[in-house]
């Protein structure tokens, strides 16, 4: 946490600002050592004179799989509209913060916001267009950290992905979700259960499988790492086939799913985390099923659905307040532990939504 | 052509009926020798007493790529709702015929029909539900053979595929069509041109490329067999990317197309003819583009769109009569030449829509 200390001049207050710095462009999986911690000094906790931006005290930072695209020299995700991180500079991502100072008419000191921020204790956000004000009272029992997940980008991703991208699930339909215990998957599964679907998820540890079955209300779940034949596993859980697949892993899982879709099935592609860091993606063989089963496959990003955020929030907040939805977070404490938490996503070390608590 | 000859009894007229018989189940590419010609005798050209079916004299038979699925023991196309051919029995497919006798109230002797018939000179169609009556007058200048193509299954396939499956093309959009000189491709291209799109097609000979560019009005075309790098070829014709890909070949072409789609591009999967007969389909590597470019990929079959046939016919017939649309057929004469024409589809020997003229 930043420590304030008076300097010798007395006029300005020097504040320490811990930062996560991007070391250099990455090929393959990002490693913890691709980032390092640096402590800079800020002269005071005020905006520069004339700034239209905001000065944020970061409270929570979100670890999101797509951040690793920005660690490449050429981010291979043109649709994500984001630029590569700059070697030697602070990385950024989604987070929750408190406004300390504002030159922007929409925000004032004391406001709580979520949106794009930088991985440091205090962020100077030059363009606060991508910050959203949180209506939160002191006696509100919804944790602020939820705005990195269920109430933030992963939430709108799950909501749009299930209800808007393809035809939404109908009662009794068979829904399969990969990476089901993650930030998005756990919500998609619970939304689908609320539609009276049969819902099965895959995850990478027995602990996560137990979570899906015992806490999140999935009808069933399996550990893909213990299935030598994914096709056989899917046939076990979906003897009559899958109506809707919520795709988050890609590769061999997608190839197996293609063989197990029903005629007119829908595949909603939210992510392909197993493929992002391979030098060559796993080849797929079962594309003819798109034709034979008249499938619909759609890729999407939450960025195309932000206009739905108010509607989404109005839907989801009552569910949370009435304990009608479960939500599991994996919170590490301290910015210095952020890089390890972030790279852990790619081997599934997180248990639920991974985030970093920077400050209270 | 069947020859009539009186038999000794005098009461019945024996008619020869040439047939194309399926020899045995096929793996890999079908060969001409997987079928053989047999001449049977029919006692007379009348329906059996009490039949609700129709007796057809076949005029034209259509060679369609999907027929080879039915040559397998287990047709791997569940959505095409068709069963395997029976070894030792006549194959079937789309065709045009004249009703000689009818036990069905909707059809009478002399009617012309198109729909599912058998590959022989005379067909006894037990269930004529899949026969459609052709409104055709003697002075009609629309060739009857067109009902195997532009006015039949390939026509409704092209129409539904372009206008109904995905969002239809908009003025100025960039459209790519593979197998573009075939029965469906040549229509899709001309429909897209009528929408003021930029349209490029691929085909497998220079002659077909010339056809596309010089007769069918495509903006450009290329011979995929002369392109060592399909990705580079597509970048040459679509420097800004492809909005809509009408997919008919699959495999390496689809993989290259995925790299050249625009954000929010649509892929309409009508066929994957390059892959049907491989023991292992060509593996694809570029599936992540579905996510990165938020693509929509949809497979379809004409069978889901037959309700549009009257609307389609009302649209297309005036175009044909006013010479506003070009249509190229490759007609072989004589049922005995049918097997060779059919298997020629899989190496692209046909020049335009392949069909067989059985009789006038």
């Amino acid at each position: 946490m930043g420590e304030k200390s008076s300097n010798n001049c007395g006029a300005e207050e020097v504040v320490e600002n811990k930062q996560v710095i991007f070391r250099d462009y990455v090929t393959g999986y990002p490693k913890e050592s691709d980032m390092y911690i640096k402590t800079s000094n800020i002269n005071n906790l005020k905006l520069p004179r004339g700034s239209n931006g905001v000065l944020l005290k970061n409270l929570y930072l979100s670890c999101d799989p797509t951040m690793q695209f920005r660690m490449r020299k050429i981010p291979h995700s043109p649709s994500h509209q984001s630029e590569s991180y700059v070697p030697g500079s602070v990385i950024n991502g989604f987070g929750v913060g408190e406004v300390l100072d504002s030159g922007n008419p929409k925000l004032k000191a004391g406001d709580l916001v979520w949106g794009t921020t930088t991985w440091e204790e205090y962020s100077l956000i030059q363009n606060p267009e991508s910050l959203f004000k949180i209506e939160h009272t002191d006696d509100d029992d919804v944790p602020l950290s939820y705005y990195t997940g269920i109430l933030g980008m992963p939430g709108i991703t799950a909501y749009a992905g299930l209800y808007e991208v393809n035809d939404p699930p109908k009662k009794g339909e068979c829904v399969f979700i990969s990476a089901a215990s993650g930030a998005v998957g756990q919500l998609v599964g619970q939304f689908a259960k609320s539609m009276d679907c049969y819902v099965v998820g895959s995850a990478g540890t027995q602990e996560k499988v137990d979570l899906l079955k015992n806490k999140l209300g999935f009808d069933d779940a399996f550990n893909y790492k213990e299935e030598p034949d994914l096709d056989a596993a899917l046939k076990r859980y979906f003897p009559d086939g899958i109506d809707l697949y919520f795709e988050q892993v890609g590769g061999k899982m997608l190839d197996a799913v293609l063989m197990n879709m029903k005629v007119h099935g829908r595949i909603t592609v939210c992510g392909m985390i197993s493929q992002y860091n391979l030098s060559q993606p796993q080849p797929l063989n079962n594309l003819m099923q798109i034709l034979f089963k008249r499938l619909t496959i759609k890729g999407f990003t939450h960025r195309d659905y932000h206009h739905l955020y108010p509607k989404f929030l109005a839907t989801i907040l009552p569910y949370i307040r009435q304990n009608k939805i479960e939500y599991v977070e994996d919170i590490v404490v301290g910015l210095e532990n952020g890089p390890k938490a972030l790279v852990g996503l790619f081997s599934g070390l997180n248990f639920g939504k991974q985030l970093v608590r920077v400050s209270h």
Side-chain angles (χ1 to χ4, degrees), chain A residues 171-226:
Chain A
K171 182 176 176 174
E173 283 196 325
C174 297
V175 177
F176 176 54
I177 302 163
S178 54
S181 72
V184 174
Q186 56 177 294
L187 301 177
V188 171
Q190 291 178 85
F191 291 161
K193 279 310 300 174
S194 77
M195 311 287 286
D196 290 325
C197 294
Y198 168 75
V199 179
V200 177
S202 63
T205 67
Q206 187 58 43
E207 193 185 11
K208 292 176 182 178
V209 167
D210 292 342
L211 172 75
L212 293 170
K213 295 203 305 196
N214 302 332
K215 184 164 180 185
L216 300 180
F218 282 55
D219 293 289
D220 224 323
F222 64 92
N223 181 348
Y224 70 91
K225 290 179 181 168
E226 292 186 350

Side-chain angles (χ1 to χ4, degrees), chain A residues 146 315 320:
Chain A
Y146 278 23
T315 306
I320 295 173

Side-chain angles (χ1 to χ4, degrees), chain A residues 126-191:
Chain A
Q126 302 280 8
N127 179 2
E129 287 303 304
S130 57
L131 290 178
F132 307 93
K133 187 174 168 183
I134 298 172
E135 305 295 343
H136 191 89
T137 58
D138 282 345
D139 59 347
D140 197 334
D141 58 350
V142 177
L144 275 176
S145 59
Y146 278 23
Y147 287 89
T148 66
I150 185 170
L151 297 175
M153 182 275 282
I156 188 71
T157 298
Y159 180 80
L162 194 67
Y163 294 113
E164 298 285 331
V165 175
N166 268 309
D167 287 344
K170 289 180 276 290
K171 182 176 176 174
E173 283 196 325
C174 297
V175 177
F176 176 54
I177 302 163
S178 54
S181 72
V184 174
Q186 56 177 294
L187 301 177
V188 171
Q190 291 178 85
F191 291 161

Side-chain angles (χ1 to χ4, degrees), chain A residues 44 101 145 269:
Chain A
N44 60 46
D101 193 8
S145 59
V269 181

Side-chain angles (χ1 to χ4, degrees), chain A residues 30-331:
Chain A
K31 303 178 300 298
E32 202 178 333
S33 61
D34 291 321
M35 294 156 273
Y36 61 93
I37 307 296
K38 178 182 164 188
T39 300
S40 304
N41 286 334
I42 308 178
N43 279 341
N44 60 46
L45 292 177
K46 289 284 173 196
L47 281 176
R49 190 181 298 267
S51 167
N52 300 316
V54 300
L55 183 71
L56 276 192
K57 180 183 182 184
N58 290 310
L59 306 178
Y60 297 99
L61 295 171
S62 177
C63 298
D64 291 302
T66 51
M67 293 170 72
Q68 50 93 55
F69 294 129
R70 309 185 59 192
M71 297 188 173
R72 300 188 184 172
K73 193 159 189 177
I74 301 167
H76 71 189
S77 172
S79 83
H80 287 88
Q81 302 163 338
S82 48
E83 294 175 358
S84 296
Y85 293 144
V86 178
S89 294
V90 184
I91 69 170
N92 62 31
F94 286 102
V96 174
E98 182 187 349
V99 175
L100 298 183
D101 193 8
S102 173
N104 185 285
K106 291 188 199 154
L107 295 171
K108 64 177 192 304
D111 281 350
L112 295 166
V113 294
W114 76 273
T116 302
T117 185
T118 46
W119 276 47
E120 55 195 324
E121 288 172 289
Y122 301 98
S123 298
L124 174 59
I125 308 293
Q126 302 280 8
N127 179 2
E129 287 303 304
S130 57
L131 290 178
F132 307 93
K133 187 174 168 183
I134 298 172
E135 305 295 343
H136 191 89
T137 58
D138 282 345
D139 59 347
D140 197 334
D141 58 350
V142 177
L144 275 176
S145 59
Y146 278 23
Y147 287 89
T148 66
I150 185 170
L151 297 175
M153 182 275 282
I156 188 71
T157 298
Y159 180 80
L162 194 67
Y163 294 113
E164 298 285 331
V165 175
N166 268 309
D167 287 344
K170 289 180 276 290
K171 182 176 176 174
E173 283 196 325
C174 297
V175 177
F176 176 54
I177 302 163
S178 54
S181 72
V184 174
Q186 56 177 294
L187 301 177
V188 171
Q190 291 178 85
F191 291 161
K193 279 310 300 174
S194 77
M195 311 287 286
D196 290 325
C197 294
Y198 168 75
V199 179
V200 177
S202 63
T205 67
Q206 187 58 43
E207 193 185 11
K208 292 176 182 178
V209 167
D210 292 342
L211 172 75
L212 293 170
K213 295 203 305 196
N214 302 332
K215 184 164 180 185
L216 300 180
F218 282 55
D219 293 289
D220 224 323
F222 64 92
N223 181 348
Y224 70 91
K225 290 179 181 168
E226 292 186 350
E227 297 290 347
D229 182 343
L230 291 173
D231 179 55
L234 290 170
K235 284 189 168 49
R236 203 164 65 230
Y237 293 102
F238 298 98
D240 299 323
I242 299 165
D243 292 290
L244 178 61
Y245 172 46
F246 197 89
E247 159 70 309
Q248 301 203 91
V249 302
K252 292 192 183 306
M253 181 66 91
L254 177 56
D255 222 18
V257 166
L258 284 168
M259 294 305 291
N260 287 280
M261 292 300 292
K262 286 187 189 174
V263 168
H264 286 140
R266 297 97 77 196
I267 298 179
T268 300
V269 181
C270 176
M272 293 193 179
I273 195 168
S274 74
Q275 305 298 296
Y276 294 156
N277 297 302
L278 304 179
S279 57
Q280 286 290 326
Q282 287 174 334
L284 266 70
N285 293 304
N286 299 328
L287 277 292
M288 273 193 286
Q289 300 302 319
I290 299 172
L291 175 67
F292 297 155
K293 295 186 183 148
R294 316 167 212 167
L295 304 179
T296 296
I297 305 180
K298 287 192 181 185
F300 80 106
T301 163
H302 62 92
R303 289 176 198 265
D304 287 339
Y305 295 94
H306 276 196
H307 58 286
L308 297 177
Y309 185 71
K311 183 181 164 193
F312 161 68
L313 204 62
T315 306
I316 194 82
L317 270 175
Y319 274 79
I320 295 173
R321 289 182 172 135
Q322 294 159 29
N323 288 318
K324 287 185 180 169
I325 198 157
E326 296 285 345
Y327 181 61
V328 180
E329 297 178 301
D330 188 338
I331 305 181

